Amino acid sequence: MKMKCFDYATLPKEQWSEGRGETRDIVCWPVSDDFAWRACFTTIHQSGALGQFPDIERSIVLLKGNGARLTSPGFLEHELVKKMAPFHFSGDIRGNAELLDGPIQCFNIMTRRSCWASEISLVSDERLLPTSHSGVLYVLKGRWEMTGANSAQLAFGQGAWWLPDIREGVIKPLVTDSQLLWVDLRPVG
């Protein structure tokens, strides 16, 4: 399988009830109703309940806005205010997201804990694309070039995802001060 490229601006938008927010799915693998892992963007316009996802580990990265307080009595108390800093928590819990000062936009990774684990990092240097596990990348700054089974150039707001069966490839920055979010998705067990 080749890399699947995406552009934030063209991802389908799913509105939440009562206009509280929206989701833009990058990928739900293998299917959206019963995913093993999922990558998406969320924009939250109003404070409210966090979705509950049994057997799912969640990772969230604040991209835009002043942040939110994530709470679940006895389980979770976290202020999501530092941009580009991944925060991990269990999808099993019922919780709330209280906006601190206006809407926020986040990058989200969800993995079924019985089969996948994820790690999110900021990358600014050349990387070999792993062939033995899945991944997602999203450009935050600059321009990048992917070479290998398929070649593409990516700029801000664009990215790619892959499954473990890609051929070897490389992603490298084309300009100084380029940065992307790198999600490493590995099978467990």
Side-chain angles (χ1 to χ4, degrees):
M1 172 172 195
K2 295 182 178 179
M3 304 284 288
K4 299 285 188 180
C5 295
F6 67 88
D7 189 314
Y8 175 86
T10 61
L11 291 173
K13 209 182 331 184
E14 183 182 324
Q15 296 291 333
W16 299 353
S17 63
E18 301 168 13
R20 289 186 13 280
E22 65 190 40
T23 300
R24 293 177 188 237
D25 271 329
I26 298 166
V27 58
C28 288
W29 187 82
V31 292
S32 59
D33 291 343
D34 188 25
F35 62 85
W37 60 267
R38 175 185 185 195
C40 66
F41 296 97
T42 54
T43 302
I44 303 174
H45 302 294
Q46 298 173 14
S47 299
L50 289 171
Q52 185 179 22
F53 297 92
D55 191 36
I56 298 293
E57 290 298 317
R58 300 179 72 172
S59 298
I60 188 168
V61 178
L62 179 65
L63 298 175
K64 294 180 183 175
N66 293 318
R69 183 173 297 109
L70 308 178
T71 59
S72 179
F75 295 102
L76 175 66
E77 183 75 36
H78 178 75
E79 287 203 356
L80 184 70
V81 293
K82 187 175 178 187
K83 290 185 175 77
M84 310 313 159
F87 175 67
H88 311 283
F89 63 102
S90 172
D92 293 323
I93 60 174
R94 291 192 186 279
N96 287 304
E98 178 189 342
L99 297 177
L100 298 178
D101 185 18
I104 62 172
Q105 182 187 70
C106 299
F107 177 80
N108 300 276
I109 298 293
M110 298 181 198
T111 55
R112 190 158 310 279
R113 76 175 56 93
S114 57
C115 32
W116 290 87
S118 70
E119 183 179 335
I120 302 174
S121 54
L122 287 173
V123 171
S124 57
D125 56 346
E126 183 174 316
R127 293 288 167 105
L128 187 64
L129 298 170
T131 59
S132 61
H133 41 95
S134 298
V136 180
L137 54 89
Y138 177 65
V139 176
L140 300 170
K141 293 194 288 187
R143 286 193 344 260
W144 294 78
E145 181 177 47
M146 289 187 313
T147 56
N150 57 335
S151 296
Q153 287 195 10
L154 302 172
F156 170 75
Q158 298 176 323
W161 63 272
W162 62 92
L163 295 176
D165 57 355
I166 66 165
R167 293 193 186 117
E168 195 168 303
V170 171
I171 185 154
K172 63 181 178 182
L174 295 176
V175 296
T176 307
D177 201 30
S178 291
Q179 190 176 57
L180 57 78
L181 281 175
W182 176 279
V183 183
D184 191 16
L185 291 153
R186 296 178 183 267
V188 296

